[in-house]
Amino acid sequence: MKFKIVSDSSSNVPAMDGVDYAAVPLKIITQRREYVDGPDLDIPEMIAQLRDYDGRSGTSCPNVADWLGAFEGADCIFAVPITSRLSGSCAMAMQAREEYIDRHPSAKVFVLDSLSTGPEIQLLLEKLRELIAAGLSFEDIQARIQAYHRRTHLLFALESMKNLANNGRVGHGTAALAGILGIRLVGRASEQGTLEPLHKSRGRKRALRAIWEDMRSAGFSGGRVRIAHCLNPEAAQEMAALITAEGGQCDIQILPCAGLCSFYAEEGGLLVGFET
Ligand code: X90
């Protein structure tokens, strides 16, 4: 049994120790250049170039061949793409699953629609690694990761939603909530896998406080927290400090957004994945 975990680059996890793992890249596309969201992408450079660019920009998801290439060589595969409600990545992974099983009839592939992105996917990947290391069967792992998924959540604070609106991922009305200087939109990944606005907060401190209060009302009482930020390590540290000060000992990790999350969360954006 050769297990493998595969996600797409929206997870911000380029590599994992102790397990066979791959992340298939999405792409960020402007009329000037195309950025492949792989481990070599220079995020600060991409953000700087996007800052000076006012033409059209968008993204594209991995295709079936990209997912198939990542599955190759394994016979027990868990794939965790970005929410199917905002991207075609999950549909491509599902189609790759069909083709892979046709070619390798004894292989097993489970595609878990994350209904989320970034640090919530990261939590799912880490849990999958644990379940594989524990020596559980494919079917047991599938049942347990689905149960765990009901306990994972994503909250975020965005200073701008221009790229989300320009690419039809949120309405312009929602985007306007975050469009004013100093106002951050705090929201969450809904149960259906869409972007759900929760509050408008003035200033960073209030936005972080709103996230913390939402974590508590979702039922957070310690456990794992994964924070991804777009060129905003200070806010990520402050978020971690607030959670530790009021929530006690938790397992918190901070990491920078890769390309896809950087493009949509934009400079200053913060994403917080946690378990309840
Ligand atoms: O297929 C593609 O081109 C990718 C499209 C992705 C669109 C949404 C990315 C969102 C990234 C922004 C804040 C978190 C929103 C979570 C909603 C579930 C991060």
PDB file of all heavy atoms in Angstrom, residues 26-27 58-62 82-83 86-89 115-117 154 156 158 164 169 188-190 193-196 260-261 264-265 271, ligand 1:
ATOM      1  N   LEU A  26      -1.801  26.090  -8.692  1.00  0.00           N
ATOM      2  CA  LEU A  26      -2.700  26.946  -9.458  1.00  0.00           C
ATOM      3  C   LEU A  26      -1.815  27.990 -10.129  1.00  0.00           C
ATOM      4  O   LEU A  26      -0.612  28.031  -9.888  1.00  0.00           O
ATOM      5  CB  LEU A  26      -3.742  27.606  -8.553  1.00  0.00           C
ATOM      6  CG  LEU A  26      -4.825  26.631  -8.034  1.00  0.00           C
ATOM      7  CD1 LEU A  26      -4.528  26.199  -6.633  1.00  0.00           C
ATOM      8  CD2 LEU A  26      -6.222  27.239  -8.104  1.00  0.00           C
ATOM      9  N   LYS A  27      -2.416  28.829 -10.949  1.00  0.00           N
ATOM     10  CA  LYS A  27      -1.632  29.868 -11.611  1.00  0.00           C
ATOM     11  C   LYS A  27      -2.290  31.218 -11.417  1.00  0.00           C
ATOM     12  O   LYS A  27      -3.516  31.310 -11.372  1.00  0.00           O
ATOM     13  CB  LYS A  27      -1.543  29.600 -13.116  1.00  0.00           C
ATOM     14  CG  LYS A  27      -0.635  28.455 -13.460  1.00  0.00           C
ATOM     15  CD  LYS A  27      -0.629  28.235 -14.963  1.00  0.00           C
ATOM     16  CE  LYS A  27       0.075  26.929 -15.275  1.00  0.00           C
ATOM     17  NZ  LYS A  27      -0.392  26.359 -16.526  1.00  0.00           N
ATOM     18  N   GLY A  58      -6.076  37.309 -13.189  1.00  0.00           N
ATOM     19  CA  GLY A  58      -6.964  36.218 -12.781  1.00  0.00           C
ATOM     20  C   GLY A  58      -6.160  35.004 -12.366  1.00  0.00           C
ATOM     21  O   GLY A  58      -4.941  35.098 -12.180  1.00  0.00           O
ATOM     22  N   THR A  59      -6.854  33.900 -12.194  1.00  0.00           N
ATOM     23  CA  THR A  59      -6.171  32.672 -11.769  1.00  0.00           C
ATOM     24  C   THR A  59      -6.711  31.509 -12.572  1.00  0.00           C
ATOM     25  O   THR A  59      -7.791  31.609 -13.170  1.00  0.00           O
ATOM     26  CB  THR A  59      -6.433  32.392 -10.271  1.00  0.00           C
ATOM     27  OG1 THR A  59      -7.852  32.322 -10.033  1.00  0.00           O
ATOM     28  CG2 THR A  59      -5.822  33.467  -9.388  1.00  0.00           C
ATOM     29  N   SER A  60      -5.963  30.423 -12.581  1.00  0.00           N
ATOM     30  CA  SER A  60      -6.518  29.210 -13.179  1.00  0.00           C
ATOM     31  C   SER A  60      -6.141  28.015 -12.330  1.00  0.00           C
ATOM     32  O   SER A  60      -5.097  28.003 -11.664  1.00  0.00           O
ATOM     33  CB  SER A  60      -6.059  29.050 -14.624  1.00  0.00           C
ATOM     34  OG  SER A  60      -4.737  28.603 -14.650  1.00  0.00           O
ATOM     35  N   CYS A  61      -7.038  27.040 -12.330  1.00  0.00           N
ATOM     36  CA  CYS A  61      -6.841  25.879 -11.462  1.00  0.00           C
ATOM     37  C   CYS A  61      -6.057  24.794 -12.203  1.00  0.00           C
ATOM     38  O   CYS A  61      -5.921  24.837 -13.420  1.00  0.00           O
ATOM     39  CB  CYS A  61      -8.187  25.368 -10.960  1.00  0.00           C
ATOM     40  SG  CYS A  61      -9.228  24.661 -12.235  1.00  0.00           S
ATOM     41  N   PRO A  62      -5.532  23.827 -11.466  1.00  0.00           N
ATOM     42  CA  PRO A  62      -4.835  22.712 -12.112  1.00  0.00           C
ATOM     43  C   PRO A  62      -5.799  21.939 -13.008  1.00  0.00           C
ATOM     44  O   PRO A  62      -7.008  21.924 -12.750  1.00  0.00           O
ATOM     45  CB  PRO A  62      -4.391  21.826 -10.947  1.00  0.00           C
ATOM     46  CG  PRO A  62      -4.738  22.526  -9.694  1.00  0.00           C
ATOM     47  CD  PRO A  62      -5.587  23.691  -9.999  1.00  0.00           C
ATOM     48  N   ILE A  82      -8.994  23.037  -2.968  1.00  0.00           N
ATOM     49  CA  ILE A  82      -9.735  24.223  -2.535  1.00  0.00           C
ATOM     50  C   ILE A  82     -11.234  24.003  -2.767  1.00  0.00           C
ATOM     51  O   ILE A  82     -11.636  23.229  -3.636  1.00  0.00           O
ATOM     52  CB  ILE A  82      -9.220  25.459  -3.307  1.00  0.00           C
ATOM     53  CG1 ILE A  82      -9.900  26.753  -2.832  1.00  0.00           C
ATOM     54  CG2 ILE A  82      -9.391  25.315  -4.814  1.00  0.00           C
ATOM     55  CD1 ILE A  82      -9.265  28.031  -3.414  1.00  0.00           C
ATOM     56  N   THR A  83     -12.072  24.698  -2.007  1.00  0.00           N
ATOM     57  CA  THR A  83     -13.537  24.563  -2.113  1.00  0.00           C
ATOM     58  C   THR A  83     -14.037  24.527  -3.565  1.00  0.00           C
ATOM     59  O   THR A  83     -13.685  25.398  -4.373  1.00  0.00           O
ATOM     60  CB  THR A  83     -14.266  25.691  -1.355  1.00  0.00           C
ATOM     61  OG1 THR A  83     -15.671  25.607  -1.652  1.00  0.00           O
ATOM     62  CG2 THR A  83     -13.786  27.086  -1.722  1.00  0.00           C
ATOM     63  N   LEU A  86     -15.664  27.752  -5.272  1.00  0.00           N
ATOM     64  CA  LEU A  86     -14.944  28.921  -5.792  1.00  0.00           C
ATOM     65  C   LEU A  86     -13.919  28.591  -6.861  1.00  0.00           C
ATOM     66  O   LEU A  86     -13.283  29.491  -7.408  1.00  0.00           O
ATOM     67  CB  LEU A  86     -14.237  29.658  -4.632  1.00  0.00           C
ATOM     68  CG  LEU A  86     -15.134  30.256  -3.551  1.00  0.00           C
ATOM     69  CD1 LEU A  86     -14.284  30.937  -2.487  1.00  0.00           C
ATOM     70  CD2 LEU A  86     -16.129  31.253  -4.128  1.00  0.00           C
ATOM     71  N   SER A  87     -13.723  27.309  -7.157  1.00  0.00           N
ATOM     72  CA  SER A  87     -12.683  26.931  -8.114  1.00  0.00           C
ATOM     73  C   SER A  87     -13.033  25.613  -8.787  1.00  0.00           C
ATOM     74  O   SER A  87     -13.748  24.787  -8.204  1.00  0.00           O
ATOM     75  CB  SER A  87     -11.344  26.797  -7.378  1.00  0.00           C
ATOM     76  OG  SER A  87     -10.370  26.186  -8.198  1.00  0.00           O
ATOM     77  N   GLY A  88     -12.485  25.411  -9.973  1.00  0.00           N
ATOM     78  CA  GLY A  88     -12.675  24.139 -10.679  1.00  0.00           C
ATOM     79  C   GLY A  88     -11.700  23.066 -10.235  1.00  0.00           C
ATOM     80  O   GLY A  88     -11.743  21.931 -10.729  1.00  0.00           O
ATOM     81  N   SER A  89     -10.807  23.395  -9.311  1.00  0.00           N
ATOM     82  CA  SER A  89      -9.760  22.446  -8.921  1.00  0.00           C
ATOM     83  C   SER A  89     -10.340  21.116  -8.437  1.00  0.00           C
ATOM     84  O   SER A  89      -9.865  20.038  -8.816  1.00  0.00           O
ATOM     85  CB  SER A  89      -8.899  23.082  -7.820  1.00  0.00           C
ATOM     86  OG  SER A  89      -7.749  22.321  -7.579  1.00  0.00           O
ATOM     87  N   LEU A 115     -14.135  22.567   1.061  1.00  0.00           N
ATOM     88  CA  LEU A 115     -15.107  23.637   1.305  1.00  0.00           C
ATOM     89  C   LEU A 115     -14.420  24.857   1.928  1.00  0.00           C
ATOM     90  O   LEU A 115     -15.051  25.676   2.586  1.00  0.00           O
ATOM     91  CB  LEU A 115     -16.262  23.161   2.207  1.00  0.00           C
ATOM     92  CG  LEU A 115     -17.043  21.954   1.665  1.00  0.00           C
ATOM     93  CD1 LEU A 115     -18.049  21.462   2.696  1.00  0.00           C
ATOM     94  CD2 LEU A 115     -17.757  22.302   0.353  1.00  0.00           C
ATOM     95  N   SER A 116     -13.114  24.949   1.712  1.00  0.00           N
ATOM     96  CA  SER A 116     -12.318  25.973   2.376  1.00  0.00           C
ATOM     97  C   SER A 116     -11.011  26.132   1.603  1.00  0.00           C
ATOM     98  O   SER A 116     -10.913  25.709   0.447  1.00  0.00           O
ATOM     99  CB  SER A 116     -12.065  25.526   3.822  1.00  0.00           C
ATOM    100  OG  SER A 116     -11.387  26.525   4.546  1.00  0.00           O
ATOM    101  N   THR A 117     -10.036  26.693   2.258  1.00  0.00           N
ATOM    102  CA  THR A 117      -8.729  26.841   1.618  1.00  0.00           C
ATOM    103  C   THR A 117      -7.670  27.065   2.692  1.00  0.00           C
ATOM    104  O   THR A 117      -7.959  27.008   3.891  1.00  0.00           O
ATOM    105  CB  THR A 117      -8.775  28.010   0.592  1.00  0.00           C
ATOM    106  OG1 THR A 117      -7.583  27.987  -0.180  1.00  0.00           O
ATOM    107  CG2 THR A 117      -8.908  29.365   1.266  1.00  0.00           C
ATOM    108  N   LEU A 154     -12.442  27.927   9.102  1.00  0.00           N
ATOM    109  CA  LEU A 154     -11.558  28.975   8.577  1.00  0.00           C
ATOM    110  C   LEU A 154     -12.195  30.346   8.771  1.00  0.00           C
ATOM    111  O   LEU A 154     -13.341  30.569   8.368  1.00  0.00           O
ATOM    112  CB  LEU A 154     -11.307  28.767   7.082  1.00  0.00           C
ATOM    113  CG  LEU A 154     -10.381  29.808   6.443  1.00  0.00           C
ATOM    114  CD1 LEU A 154      -8.918  29.527   6.807  1.00  0.00           C
ATOM    115  CD2 LEU A 154     -10.525  29.835   4.929  1.00  0.00           C
ATOM    116  N   PHE A 156     -11.153  34.674   8.381  1.00  0.00           N
ATOM    117  CA  PHE A 156     -10.143  35.505   7.712  1.00  0.00           C
ATOM    118  C   PHE A 156     -10.461  36.977   7.920  1.00  0.00           C
ATOM    119  O   PHE A 156     -11.595  37.340   8.246  1.00  0.00           O
ATOM    120  CB  PHE A 156     -10.075  35.176   6.220  1.00  0.00           C
ATOM    121  CG  PHE A 156     -11.405  35.154   5.540  1.00  0.00           C
ATOM    122  CD1 PHE A 156     -11.987  36.329   5.100  1.00  0.00           C
ATOM    123  CD2 PHE A 156     -12.085  33.961   5.367  1.00  0.00           C
ATOM    124  CE1 PHE A 156     -13.236  36.318   4.500  1.00  0.00           C
ATOM    125  CE2 PHE A 156     -13.335  33.939   4.760  1.00  0.00           C
ATOM    126  CZ  PHE A 156     -13.906  35.115   4.323  1.00  0.00           C
ATOM    127  N   LEU A 158      -9.660  40.532   5.692  1.00  0.00           N
ATOM    128  CA  LEU A 158      -9.132  41.031   4.422  1.00  0.00           C
ATOM    129  C   LEU A 158      -9.212  42.548   4.380  1.00  0.00           C
ATOM    130  O   LEU A 158     -10.228  43.134   4.748  1.00  0.00           O
ATOM    131  CB  LEU A 158      -9.925  40.447   3.248  1.00  0.00           C
ATOM    132  CG  LEU A 158     -10.017  38.917   3.183  1.00  0.00           C
ATOM    133  CD1 LEU A 158     -10.883  38.491   2.000  1.00  0.00           C
ATOM    134  CD2 LEU A 158      -8.645  38.278   3.088  1.00  0.00           C
ATOM    135  N   LEU A 164     -10.871  39.350  -5.516  1.00  0.00           N
ATOM    136  CA  LEU A 164     -11.998  38.415  -5.376  1.00  0.00           C
ATOM    137  C   LEU A 164     -13.184  38.900  -6.199  1.00  0.00           C
ATOM    138  O   LEU A 164     -13.829  38.132  -6.913  1.00  0.00           O
ATOM    139  CB  LEU A 164     -12.411  38.283  -3.900  1.00  0.00           C
ATOM    140  CG  LEU A 164     -11.559  37.352  -3.031  1.00  0.00           C
ATOM    141  CD1 LEU A 164     -11.811  37.631  -1.555  1.00  0.00           C
ATOM    142  CD2 LEU A 164     -11.820  35.879  -3.340  1.00  0.00           C
ATOM    143  N   ARG A 169     -15.569  36.050  -7.556  1.00  0.00           N
ATOM    144  CA  ARG A 169     -15.634  35.130  -6.402  1.00  0.00           C
ATOM    145  C   ARG A 169     -16.477  35.702  -5.268  1.00  0.00           C
ATOM    146  O   ARG A 169     -16.895  34.971  -4.388  1.00  0.00           O
ATOM    147  CB  ARG A 169     -14.236  34.773  -5.916  1.00  0.00           C
ATOM    148  CG  ARG A 169     -13.713  33.454  -6.439  1.00  0.00           C
ATOM    149  CD  ARG A 169     -13.417  33.479  -7.912  1.00  0.00           C
ATOM    150  NE  ARG A 169     -13.154  32.146  -8.435  1.00  0.00           N
ATOM    151  CZ  ARG A 169     -12.625  31.902  -9.628  1.00  0.00           C
ATOM    152  NH1 ARG A 169     -12.310  32.882 -10.437  1.00  0.00           N
ATOM    153  NH2 ARG A 169     -12.441  30.664 -10.026  1.00  0.00           N
ATOM    154  N   ARG A 188     -15.872  34.136   7.135  1.00  0.00           N
ATOM    155  CA  ARG A 188     -15.502  32.736   7.321  1.00  0.00           C
ATOM    156  C   ARG A 188     -15.827  31.931   6.077  1.00  0.00           C
ATOM    157  O   ARG A 188     -16.603  32.378   5.220  1.00  0.00           O
ATOM    158  CB  ARG A 188     -16.238  32.154   8.526  1.00  0.00           C
ATOM    159  CG  ARG A 188     -17.741  32.113   8.334  1.00  0.00           C
ATOM    160  CD  ARG A 188     -18.401  31.210   9.373  1.00  0.00           C
ATOM    161  NE  ARG A 188     -19.811  31.047   9.042  1.00  0.00           N
ATOM    162  CZ  ARG A 188     -20.600  30.147   9.584  1.00  0.00           C
ATOM    163  NH1 ARG A 188     -20.132  29.333  10.503  1.00  0.00           N
ATOM    164  NH2 ARG A 188     -21.853  30.051   9.218  1.00  0.00           N
ATOM    165  N   ALA A 189     -15.263  30.766   5.990  1.00  0.00           N
ATOM    166  CA  ALA A 189     -15.678  29.804   4.972  1.00  0.00           C
ATOM    167  C   ALA A 189     -16.960  29.182   5.506  1.00  0.00           C
ATOM    168  O   ALA A 189     -16.974  28.604   6.591  1.00  0.00           O
ATOM    169  CB  ALA A 189     -14.604  28.737   4.776  1.00  0.00           C
ATOM    170  N   SER A 190     -18.065  29.340   4.773  1.00  0.00           N
ATOM    171  CA  SER A 190     -19.350  28.811   5.244  1.00  0.00           C
ATOM    172  C   SER A 190     -19.365  27.291   5.116  1.00  0.00           C
ATOM    173  O   SER A 190     -18.503  26.708   4.468  1.00  0.00           O
ATOM    174  CB  SER A 190     -20.476  29.401   4.401  1.00  0.00           C
ATOM    175  OG  SER A 190     -20.423  28.841   3.095  1.00  0.00           O
ATOM    176  N   GLY A 193     -19.017  26.143   1.741  1.00  0.00           N
ATOM    177  CA  GLY A 193     -17.771  26.376   1.024  1.00  0.00           C
ATOM    178  C   GLY A 193     -17.718  27.689   0.280  1.00  0.00           C
ATOM    179  O   GLY A 193     -16.952  27.841  -0.669  1.00  0.00           O
ATOM    180  N   THR A 194     -18.526  28.649   0.739  1.00  0.00           N
ATOM    181  CA  THR A 194     -18.477  29.980   0.126  1.00  0.00           C
ATOM    182  C   THR A 194     -17.896  30.982   1.127  1.00  0.00           C
ATOM    183  O   THR A 194     -17.778  30.684   2.322  1.00  0.00           O
ATOM    184  CB  THR A 194     -19.896  30.460  -0.260  1.00  0.00           C
ATOM    185  OG1 THR A 194     -20.716  30.370   0.909  1.00  0.00           O
ATOM    186  CG2 THR A 194     -20.484  29.595  -1.350  1.00  0.00           C
ATOM    187  N   LEU A 195     -17.565  32.154   0.603  1.00  0.00           N
ATOM    188  CA  LEU A 195     -17.031  33.211   1.454  1.00  0.00           C
ATOM    189  C   LEU A 195     -18.204  33.933   2.121  1.00  0.00           C
ATOM    190  O   LEU A 195     -19.040  34.514   1.439  1.00  0.00           O
ATOM    191  CB  LEU A 195     -16.218  34.164   0.578  1.00  0.00           C
ATOM    192  CG  LEU A 195     -15.430  35.267   1.258  1.00  0.00           C
ATOM    193  CD1 LEU A 195     -14.298  35.717   0.357  1.00  0.00           C
ATOM    194  CD2 LEU A 195     -16.300  36.454   1.623  1.00  0.00           C
ATOM    195  N   GLU A 196     -18.249  33.852   3.437  1.00  0.00           N
ATOM    196  CA  GLU A 196     -19.371  34.464   4.168  1.00  0.00           C
ATOM    197  C   GLU A 196     -18.869  35.641   5.000  1.00  0.00           C
ATOM    198  O   GLU A 196     -18.117  35.460   5.956  1.00  0.00           O
ATOM    199  CB  GLU A 196     -20.012  33.412   5.086  1.00  0.00           C
ATOM    200  CG  GLU A 196     -21.200  33.939   5.836  1.00  0.00           C
ATOM    201  CD  GLU A 196     -21.784  32.915   6.811  1.00  0.00           C
ATOM    202  OE1 GLU A 196     -21.357  31.751   6.789  1.00  0.00           O
ATOM    203  OE2 GLU A 196     -22.644  33.294   7.604  1.00  0.00           O
ATOM    204  N   LEU A 260      -1.566  31.676  -4.593  1.00  0.00           N
ATOM    205  CA  LEU A 260      -3.019  31.789  -4.820  1.00  0.00           C
ATOM    206  C   LEU A 260      -3.685  32.568  -3.688  1.00  0.00           C
ATOM    207  O   LEU A 260      -4.436  33.517  -3.924  1.00  0.00           O
ATOM    208  CB  LEU A 260      -3.625  30.374  -4.956  1.00  0.00           C
ATOM    209  CG  LEU A 260      -5.052  30.171  -5.462  1.00  0.00           C
ATOM    210  CD1 LEU A 260      -6.104  30.273  -4.385  1.00  0.00           C
ATOM    211  CD2 LEU A 260      -5.387  31.021  -6.670  1.00  0.00           C
ATOM    212  N   CYS A 261      -3.387  32.169  -2.443  1.00  0.00           N
ATOM    213  CA  CYS A 261      -3.979  32.880  -1.299  1.00  0.00           C
ATOM    214  C   CYS A 261      -3.472  34.314  -1.240  1.00  0.00           C
ATOM    215  O   CYS A 261      -4.224  35.222  -0.875  1.00  0.00           O
ATOM    216  CB  CYS A 261      -3.710  32.151   0.017  1.00  0.00           C
ATOM    217  SG  CYS A 261      -4.775  30.708   0.260  1.00  0.00           S
ATOM    218  N   TYR A 264      -5.580  36.420  -3.727  1.00  0.00           N
ATOM    219  CA  TYR A 264      -6.960  36.726  -3.330  1.00  0.00           C
ATOM    220  C   TYR A 264      -7.069  37.370  -1.949  1.00  0.00           C
ATOM    221  O   TYR A 264      -7.950  38.206  -1.731  1.00  0.00           O
ATOM    222  CB  TYR A 264      -7.824  35.471  -3.391  1.00  0.00           C
ATOM    223  CG  TYR A 264      -8.189  35.090  -4.808  1.00  0.00           C
ATOM    224  CD1 TYR A 264      -7.625  33.979  -5.430  1.00  0.00           C
ATOM    225  CD2 TYR A 264      -9.086  35.857  -5.543  1.00  0.00           C
ATOM    226  CE1 TYR A 264      -7.950  33.632  -6.736  1.00  0.00           C
ATOM    227  CE2 TYR A 264      -9.419  35.521  -6.854  1.00  0.00           C
ATOM    228  CZ  TYR A 264      -8.848  34.416  -7.445  1.00  0.00           C
ATOM    229  OH  TYR A 264      -9.175  34.085  -8.732  1.00  0.00           O
ATOM    230  N   ALA A 265      -6.226  36.976  -1.003  1.00  0.00           N
ATOM    231  CA  ALA A 265      -6.315  37.581   0.332  1.00  0.00           C
ATOM    232  C   ALA A 265      -5.682  38.977   0.292  1.00  0.00           C
ATOM    233  O   ALA A 265      -6.009  39.832   1.109  1.00  0.00           O
ATOM    234  CB  ALA A 265      -5.647  36.707   1.374  1.00  0.00           C
ATOM    235  N   LEU A 271      -5.461  34.588   7.328  1.00  0.00           N
ATOM    236  CA  LEU A 271      -6.385  33.446   7.321  1.00  0.00           C
ATOM    237  C   LEU A 271      -6.073  32.578   8.536  1.00  0.00           C
ATOM    238  O   LEU A 271      -4.891  32.308   8.804  1.00  0.00           O
ATOM    239  CB  LEU A 271      -6.208  32.593   6.057  1.00  0.00           C
ATOM    240  CG  LEU A 271      -6.684  33.193   4.727  1.00  0.00           C
ATOM    241  CD1 LEU A 271      -5.597  34.047   4.106  1.00  0.00           C
ATOM    242  CD2 LEU A 271      -7.057  32.100   3.756  1.00  0.00           C
TER     243      LEU A 271
HETATM  244  O1  X90 B   1      -9.736  28.188  -9.847  1.00  0.00           O
HETATM  245  C1  X90 B   1      -9.174  29.262  -9.564  1.00  0.00           C
HETATM  246  O2  X90 B   1      -8.776  30.027 -10.440  1.00  0.00           O
HETATM  247  C2  X90 B   1      -8.990  29.614  -8.108  1.00  0.00           C
HETATM  248  C3  X90 B   1     -10.037  30.483  -7.553  1.00  0.00           C
HETATM  249  C4  X90 B   1      -9.951  30.702  -6.052  1.00  0.00           C
HETATM  250  C5  X90 B   1     -10.866  31.731  -5.514  1.00  0.00           C
HETATM  251  C6  X90 B   1     -10.905  31.972  -4.037  1.00  0.00           C
HETATM  252  C7  X90 B   1      -9.608  31.976  -3.283  1.00  0.00           C
HETATM  253  C8  X90 B   1      -9.713  32.512  -1.880  1.00  0.00           C
HETATM  254  C9  X90 B   1      -8.368  32.668  -1.195  1.00  0.00           C
HETATM  255  C10 X90 B   1      -9.354  34.424   0.374  1.00  0.00           C
HETATM  256  C11 X90 B   1     -10.049  34.408   1.664  1.00  0.00           C
HETATM  257  C12 X90 B   1     -10.663  33.116   2.124  1.00  0.00           C
HETATM  258  C13 X90 B   1     -11.992  32.780   1.507  1.00  0.00           C
HETATM  259  C14 X90 B   1     -12.501  31.417   1.909  1.00  0.00           C
HETATM  260  C15 X90 B   1     -13.782  31.027   1.286  1.00  0.00           C
HETATM  261  C16 X90 B   1     -14.106  29.576   1.355  1.00  0.00           C
HETATM  262  C17 X90 B   1      -8.348  33.309   0.127  1.00  0.00           C
END
